[in-house]
Amino acid sequence: MGVLAGRTALVTGASRGIGRGIAERLGRDGARVAVHYGRNEAAAKETVAAIEAAGGSAFTLGVELGSPGDAEALWEEFDRHADGLDILVNNAAIGNSRPIEEIDEEEYDRLFAVNVKAPLFLAKHGMTRLRDGGRVINISSGLARTAAMPHNMAYAMAKAALDVLSRDLSKVLGPRGITVNSVAPGLTTTDNTAEFLSTEAGRAMAEGISALGRVGAVDDIADVVAFLASDESRWVTGSWVDATGGSLT
């Protein structure tokens, strides 16, 4: 029996990358996992297949975030599969933004709709479904607090806003024993970063900013999330957890 046996988790953006790693880890720990995807149904089904192959249970939820009513639509779909929730992982996000000289209002609005508005309203409409003693885990970024990277300004701004959601929502849900935390990855090997990390200069830069001298792996982040999803993290809430491999030191 896994430490999360009998619990239900929802991971947004779980068809690939860090989200998929989190979903697979929670599944191995015994949770039944709702694997959310925006467009790539085939990849989400691969995540479900991987969870089931490891002995777990999972199902897909296909709702594109970033439009009015997206949170309600996701929860309506969720309700067809489950009657309550124990763990909400807000992972889905647009992973970068153009520099201030190039970004336009449409890109900015879309970024904040997916990275900030959707998590807030998923939490708002999910509170009635979230059982007492549950967990909310928001996937932030080291860029929210690290040295400025102006070329990715709007993305960093959105992740900083997500951290405020974690801090303040922890006060709202705390009386029910529900913890809320942010996990902040640094540069992590995913399909989004593969091109950059495939170059000698890119990998050297990523390794050089980490105190541990290597690039982060998806499992490094998933393990931190698994801790926060477990009973062992019961006294940790409203926190920003540095999962950058010491890239901020």
Side-chain angles (χ1 to χ4, degrees), residues 55-181:
S57 174
F59 57 92
T60 61
L61 296 176
V63 175
E64 188 168 354
L65 302 178
S67 300
D70 53 2
E72 295 99 319
L74 191 152
W75 285 120
E76 287 175 8
E77 180 66 19
F78 176 87
D79 290 341
R80 297 188 181 101
H81 298 270
D83 60 2
L85 183 72
D86 301 283
I87 303 158
L88 170 61
V89 182
N90 283 310
N91 166 78
I94 295 172
N96 52 61
S97 59
R98 289 185 296 172
I100 192 170
E101 296 87 354
E102 301 174 19
I103 194 170
D104 55 28
E105 291 188 28
E106 182 179 359
E107 179 183 347
Y108 178 92
D109 289 343
R110 173 70 178 164
L111 179 76
F112 272 74
V114 174
N115 292 20
V116 183
K117 183 180 177 180
L120 185 148
F121 282 95
L122 283 170
K124 171 184 168 67
H125 296 294
M127 290 192 294
T128 58
R129 296 164 171 89
L130 196 61
R131 287 184 269 264
D132 291 356
R135 302 285 186 263
V136 178
I137 302 162
N138 295 317
I139 305 304
S140 179
S141 169
L143 289 182
R145 299 196 186 186
T146 190
M149 291 187 177
H151 66 280
N152 220 1
M153 185 187 303
Y155 170 77
M157 289 168 60
K159 290 300 186 179
L162 190 65
D163 294 339
V164 173
L165 173 63
S166 297
R167 183 194 67 195
D168 290 3
L169 188 61
S170 71
K171 297 290 188 181
V172 175
L173 297 179
R176 295 175 52 196
I178 299 169
T179 66
V180 186
N181 294 286

